[in-house]
Amino acid sequence: MFVRGLKRKCFDGEEDIEGTLAGIKAIPSYNLQRQSLLDMSLVKLQLCHMLVEPNLCRSVLIANTVRQIQEEMTQDGTWQMINTQSTGQACLDRLVSTDILCRSSREQAEGKHVPGYSAFNKDFEGDQAQDSSETMSTASSVQAPRNLQSNVWEMENPQENKGNFQKSLDQIFETLENKSPNSVEDLFSEVDNSYYDLDTMLTGMMSNTKMGHCDGLETFSSPTTPASNSNCKSDLNELDHIVEILVES
Amino acid sequence: SLAGFGDLMQDVLWCFSQVKGTVDIGVTEADIISTVEFNHTGELLATGDKGGRVVIFQREQESKNQPHRRGEYNVYSTFQSHEPEFDYLKSLEIEEKINKIRWLPQQNAAYFLLSTNDKTVKLWKVSERDKRPEGYNLKDEDGRLRDPSMITMLRVPVLRPMDLMVEATPRRVFANAHTYHINSISVNSDYETYMSADDLRINLWNFEITNQSFNIVDIKPANMEELTEVITAAEFHPHHCNTFVYSSSKGTIRLCDMRTSALCDRHAKFFEEPEDPSNRSFFSEIISSISDVKFSHSGRYIMTRDYLTVKVWDLNMENRPIETYQVHDYLRSKLCSLYENDCIFDKFECVWNGSDSVIMTGSYNNFFRMFDRNTKRDVTLEASRENSKPRAILKPRKVCVGGKRRKDEISVDSLDFSKKILHTAWHPSENIIAVAATNNLYIFQDKVN
């Protein structure tokens, strides 16, 4: 694992917040942050596919974190909703600050003032946020302000570099979220090298050859997980078939 | 004589002594130090690196002419311990990085140490040669074979002095016993056996036997889907050869007695601190994962390191530690970022001083921390080239957590998380410490009056 310095991407609640509504960098809701953490964790597990056997301890800890989030979201009722909602935006945009998640529930309860929470109720997440506020799980006693929204990312959020990495991320999430491609041509048009990595990775998961250490990932195929491996496999088999035809021609 | 700064109730001033390694801006990955260990007398100091090399430093004899030099450490031997390998069955590389080095107590003129990478443990013999035989009959001085038919008289070879040569030879190779990555090795107090621990299993070896090892702990579930916990570190008790401990990724420590059963799946003692429910977050489990466990020299305590704290446990009290020290609590609000850049998975080690009165562990920004168990005072020091003038006293560092930053303080956001001190060592009887900062090894000593 290469060594990196601390990224400044997360808002840590101490940055200056401009006064006007349009300029406010509002901190995203607890649900968004939790979703972001889940997405980040899944990406970390995908990157298991390396030349050297990755750290089993790390994989287990990440998988446990994913499990915790899934359990909480299942109790919330938000798990099913997340997966049926259409992802208009690329998932990378959803990797928002997870500052709230870093705070203990005690700090939340004390009502620590976090600068920058906006009070406007514009519904970014659709119905999800309002529904989940009622069904907030008692398992997590975090009391995130329910009325804050992160309209900001529909505004001029600086566009991340939409290189190959983002593309492959999209494909990873698409595959895992059980979305079948609209057409075979669409699927093929987005193929790049990273897709083949995904192919190999998923095949490895199935057959337990390369990914012996990542066996923990098989928990994703449990009934509570909408994303089903068998669907991935059929998508990939289809892709294999298409590529075979094209290569031979 | 054992010296700990708690004993005399006065502060120890730490001074720079030496630094080993290059000052290049770009660090070659192979040069990154991955383990540091003094031998039982403190005469030798061994380091292992990512490139599979072991470098041993020897303390020079103290000289009456230069008493202030206090015995510097100079290179004694360098050898390639492990090479990269390829596991053809899994299509994966096996890194040559040295995960741990452990010395055996010295029993004759030679030195012995164990070094391990992810899969294979090796016993190395390091010995000096200062004489060589001369006057062979069947070969000449260059080593070329002589024609036997040309030999007309016989002579007896004699030993003649030569320049001192230190040679390292691999005496045993303990391979093919670990499916998962070895994280710990520990020499037993009987000096006949040692253990090696990987993520899911612990094996017991006899030094003389390389083709067999005895499995003493196995936490692999029948169904790998159910895996939620791994072994993170293990160590034998310093005096009781039947007792050892191992720590887990869930923040627990198990003490096992090998006399009770062959397979030590049932612990004799189980150490776990109850979780504070008000402090719970999605990162709670990750930061509770224990990265290192060490018995005190006395054998009465164990020390554990998790992401934010160091804890001391009394072997007689399983339900909570007797002491908890905050290493860098200002990181608690940054766990999200540290999870994102993987720093949250960094495995810091911890060490006792010779008298068990002071404990030391590393942090980020090349900072390391010491905690005096008696006075309850702590200090943050930095391993950096700027403080590298001979016998320069190290100035305590401070991290500013909010509000106004004083002149010498550094703010949390300015910390360099790529400069992490994971490995440190403390001389067994003196106030000499070795601190590994990426590819550099710093040696600090206490101030000589």
Side-chain angles (χ1 to χ4, degrees), chain B residues 71-138:
Chain B
E72 284 190 348
Y73 284 85
N74 300 314
V75 177
Y76 179 65
S77 173
T78 304
F79 56 93
Q80 187 75 32
S81 172
H82 287 70
E83 300 273 4
E85 288 174 50
F86 195 77
D87 181 338
Y88 290 97
L89 203 62
K90 289 189 193 171
S91 289
L92 290 168
E93 283 184 8
I94 300 171
E95 282 188 320
E96 66 275 31
K97 172 168 75 86
I98 308 295
N99 293 336
K100 285 285 174 352
I101 289 174
R102 289 290 181 263
W103 291 93
L104 270 68
Q106 197 174 2
Q107 290 172 313
N108 53 36
Y111 303 102
F112 287 87
L113 62 81
L114 287 174
S115 70
T116 187
N117 69 348
D118 285 337
K119 297 287 186 177
T120 304
V121 185
K122 294 187 184 179
L123 176 69
W124 287 88
K125 175 181 178 183
V126 181
S127 51
E128 296 180 3
R129 190 197 290 269
D130 60 359
K131 291 187 265 293
R132 68 157 178 248
E134 283 177 16
Y136 282 107
N137 291 290
L138 293 175

Side-chain angles (χ1 to χ4, degrees), chain A residues 16-56:
Chain A
D16 290 331
I17 305 295
E18 280 88 41
T20 66
L21 216 59
I24 281 180
K25 285 199 256 185
I27 296 172
S29 72
Y30 173 82
N31 271 7
L32 282 171
Q33 294 197 15
R34 183 177 60 182
Q35 181 64 46
S36 176
L37 182 64
L38 176 64
D39 295 342
M40 194 195 303
S41 303
L42 291 174
V43 170
K44 282 183 180 298
L45 287 172
Q46 306 304 333
L47 296 176
C48 264
H49 181 59
M50 295 192 290
L51 267 180
V52 181
E53 233 175 339
N55 199 317
L56 182 63

Side-chain angles (χ1 to χ4, degrees), chain A residues 41 44 58 64 98 102, chain B residues 228 280 285 336 339-340 342:
Chain A
S41 303
K44 282 183 180 298
R58 175 180 173 274
N64 288 353
T98 44
C102 300
Chain B
T228 58
R280 175 134 190 85
E285 184 184 314
C336 45
Y339 179 74
E340 187 186 354
D342 263 17

Side-chain angles (χ1 to χ4, degrees), chain A residues 1 3 9 30 41 44 51 53 56 58 60 62 64-65 68 98 101-102 104-106 215 218-219, chain B residues 90 92-93 181 199 224-225 228 278-282 285-286 336-337 339-340 342 347 417-418:
Chain A
M1 193 75 203
V3 163
K9 211 158 75 166
Y30 173 82
S41 303
K44 282 183 180 298
L51 267 180
E53 233 175 339
L56 182 63
R58 175 180 173 274
V60 166
I62 297 172
N64 288 353
T65 305
Q68 274 182 62
T98 44
L101 300 173
C102 300
S104 69
S105 50
R106 184 171 26 118
D215 286 353
E218 289 175 49
T219 53
Chain B
K90 289 189 193 171
L92 290 168
E93 283 184 8
H181 290 178
D199 296 311
M224 279 295 273
E225 283 181 20
T228 58
S278 66
N279 247 337
R280 175 134 190 85
S281 75
F282 285 121
E285 184 184 314
I286 299 178
C336 45
S337 307
Y339 179 74
E340 187 186 354
D342 263 17
K347 293 190 192 300
F417 287 82
S418 67

Side-chain angles (χ1 to χ4, degrees), chain B residues 151-170:
Chain B
I151 297 172
T152 53
M153 44 178 276
L154 291 177
R155 55 186 175 170
V156 177
V158 291
L159 291 173
R160 297 217 185 280
M162 57 178 263
D163 289 339
L164 179 66
M165 192 172 75
V166 180
E167 34 179 35
T169 47

Side-chain angles (χ1 to χ4, degrees), chain B residues 428-446:
Chain B
S429 54
E430 295 183 40
N431 277 342
I432 303 173
I433 56 176
V435 174
T438 315
N439 62 328
N440 286 330
L441 182 72
Y442 288 82
I443 299 173
F444 302 106
Q445 300 188 7
D446 64 350

Side-chain angles (χ1 to χ4, degrees), chain B residues 303-372:
Chain B
M303 165 167 57
T304 57
R305 175 70 154 98
D306 51 58
Y307 192 62
L308 298 177
T309 73
V310 187
K311 297 182 162 116
V312 177
W313 306 74
D314 186 318
L315 284 192
N316 297 320
M317 187 159 70
E318 297 168 55
N319 58 353
R320 60 179 172 81
I322 57 168
E323 295 155 31
T324 299
Y325 301 96
Q326 302 295 331
V327 180
H328 38 218
D329 200 56
Y330 46 78
L331 297 183
R332 199 176 286 272
S333 60
K334 311 284 181 189
L335 294 179
C336 45
S337 307
L338 296 165
Y339 179 74
E340 187 186 354
N341 65 13
D342 263 17
C343 282
I344 207 174
F345 301 108
D346 286 336
K347 293 190 192 300
F348 293 93
E349 293 170 7
C350 53
V351 291
W352 299 88
N353 75 337
S355 59
D356 297 336
S357 59
V358 184
I359 58 185
M360 172 168 68
T361 189
S363 178
Y364 294 104
N365 209 72
N366 278 354
F367 287 171
F368 57 100
R369 306 259 286 134
M370 288 184 192
F371 303 92
D372 186 321

